Amino acid sequence: MTTPDADGLLAEQLLRLTRRVHRIQKRHLEQRDLGITPAQSRLLRTLAHWGSPPRMADLAERLEVVPRAVTTLVDGLEASGKVRRVPDPANRRVIRIELTDDGRGALRELRAARRSAAEEILAPLAEDQRAALGGLLDTLIDGEPVRLC
């Protein structure tokens, strides 16, 4: 009889949780009928964190995708009026991407959908469990080992 692989079990749990989070967020997005895919949602959120409109290459780098993927996402968001391409004032050959008023409204709806999804996912946890989970996730995200005093 073999002993269970604890790290393998944890990895499987994380994958299952990630899939569940994705499904629940997708359902909450669909209920709001925004017509925005999860990938487009991620691009809008990323765009909102920029101080000034970024170049497509900047978005691709931040999203860790190939530039062609950003072009496809921007095409869809531009067609629905959520973003627009604007020339760079310093170099007209450079195109920058900016949020429109519709895009900012969609971001508000996206945030509300994410909050609803998070509430659903975290409902079984008490406040102290949520805090502990947050700390553990920060540790995993940062890749730094937990230092016990």
Side-chain angles (χ1 to χ4, degrees), residues 16-43 45 106-107 109-122 137:
R16 288 175 45 212
L17 177 60
T18 300
R19 288 184 197 115
R20 181 169 185 252
V21 167
H22 183 76
R23 278 193 316 272
I24 290 171
Q25 284 184 343
K26 186 175 178 184
R27 179 171 36 84
H28 281 264
L29 278 176
E30 289 169 352
Q31 288 171 350
R32 292 177 185 272
D33 198 29
L34 294 173
I36 295 174
T37 67
Q40 289 173 331
S41 168
R42 184 170 173 236
L43 186 137
R45 289 191 321 272
L107 268 172
E109 287 293 318
L110 289 168
R111 287 182 183 120
R114 288 176 65 120
R115 273 192 304 280
S116 298
E119 288 169 10
E120 181 178 336
I121 292 161
L122 298 172
L137 290 173

Side-chain angles (χ1 to χ4, degrees), residues 33-63:
D33 198 29
L34 294 173
I36 295 174
T37 67
Q40 289 173 331
S41 168
R42 184 170 173 236
L43 186 137
L44 285 174
R45 289 191 321 272
T46 301
L47 194 54
H49 290 289
W50 238 281
S52 61
R55 299 173 308 134
M56 300 268 267
D58 298 330
L59 284 169
E61 184 178 328
R62 178 78 54 92
L63 294 169

